[in-house]
Amino acid sequence: MSDPGPHLRVAATAPDGIIEAIESAEHKPIMGVQWHPECMGQDGAALFEWLVSEARLYRKTQRLHDRILTLDTHCDTPMFFPQGINFATRDSRILVDLPKMTEGRLDATIMVAYIPQKMEESAYDYANSIFDKIETIVASNASHLALARTPQDLWQNKRAGRKSIMLGIENGKALEGNLQNIRHFKERGIVYITLCHNGDNDICDSAKGEQTHGGVSDFGQQVIEEMNRLGIMVDLSHAHEKSFYDALDISKTPIVCSHSSCRALCDHPRNLTDDQMRALARKGGVCQITLYPGFLVSQPSTLNSQPTEATILDAMAHLDHAISVMGIDHVGLGTDFDGDGGIPGLANASELTLFTRQLLARRYSEEDIQKSWGGNFLRVMQQASVSGGFPAGRKNKQQAI
């Protein structure tokens, strides 16, 4: 072979012109080397055996992804829509797009309409504009992409060879104090509402707020009850600890924390204490480990200090800790990609098979890997849906085409 193809370039040749090494022509971490184990001797055997074992693990990982369904429960990619991104192409400005999802074998992601604390425009209108844009993106890529409302939709889309997008709201300010807007967003297809963000709102106090209500407000209790009635999951990531326990008492269905980590390993108010995780598990809820570096490793307190870098091993340590506290039935992954989530080893959606490889290295069973890859979260989604018993509502653009 003299031509490695359009995506690779020759890195080394033998004196007789035979290609001995190739590398990516697209700046990807790919290298191919022609090995001659018969010439390496005993010193080189260990390296060759390691390469063979890595290739075997890669094949095992890929085959596993053929069978399981992988769901990332929180990404903020819609924040980049105003920059004119093309979700169907590889775009260096975003961490989640269709090519990266395909490379990382990510079947589905929950895209949220993130509502900042201070907005000049209507938060309700802004959330709707985000969902309009997502529907347009899906309709434009209908052969590869589809919206989903239920776990059954996700599996159907996977079997059809399509990636799935689910919808969520991050910050209940999108409701603008109107309980009827919960029904509206349910009809648009949202699966959860993160009750607050980095500041108190009219629903509850935030982990980074001023404890305006002393937990969940009276209006917030009505919001949670209506979400239960309509089958929308209550998400407590970002909530103050008092809000967390209030909501846990109020909600008739299990609670989710779509992108949170463990305070025992990183002392940040956004993370869950062991007691919170135990309470969450007792009520059937789930904690989705996030990839935001500041929630994985403690950061220096002085302004001039360099931030501490987190890696995939730190994320796995949080997952292991959550499993040790809550059990395997109450954990998952919510990357927070494009919301400052992303670490070496899990830098964007294209690297998510490395999460699976870490689970395999820890000898988790296929059943437990599926639980960690969204199965637990989908169980709660199903429970909330059954409890709500709300009809599917109006068709979105994707369903109409």
Side-chain angles (χ1 to χ4, degrees), residues 66-137:
D66 290 339
R67 300 190 297 270
I68 66 173
L69 188 141
T70 55
L71 169 68
D72 172 10
T73 61
H74 189 91
C75 87
D76 284 293
T77 306
M79 285 200 297
F80 289 81
F81 288 170
Q83 297 185 21
I85 65 167
N86 183 347
F87 191 78
T89 64
R90 188 183 309 280
D91 194 318
S92 61
R93 293 170 294 179
I94 54 178
L95 303 184
V96 182
D97 54 36
L98 197 51
K100 295 186 185 80
M101 289 181 72
T102 301
E103 289 175 10
R105 303 298 300 271
L106 179 62
D107 295 313
T109 186
I110 300 179
M111 286 191 177
V112 299
Y114 158 64
I115 310 299
Q117 282 300 105
K118 296 181 180 180
M119 296 187 68
E120 294 183 1
E121 62 184 299
S122 160
Y124 171 85
D125 289 343
Y126 176 75
N128 279 296
S129 72
I130 291 295
F131 299 146
D132 288 343
K133 179 62 176 177
I134 291 174
E135 288 181 352
T136 299
I137 289 172

Side-chain angles (χ1 to χ4, degrees), residues 364-379:
Y364 285 111
S365 67
E366 181 170 329
E367 179 183 6
D368 287 346
I369 290 174
Q370 177 61 89
K371 289 178 180 180
S372 299
W373 249 131
N376 294 328
F377 195 90
L378 294 178
R379 167 183 54 79

Side-chain angles (χ1 to χ4, degrees), residues 236-250:
L236 290 175
S237 288
H238 288 285
H240 186 275
E241 196 166 340
K242 181 63 166 59
S243 300
F244 173 92
Y245 285 112
D246 284 351
L248 209 60
D249 287 339
I250 295 166

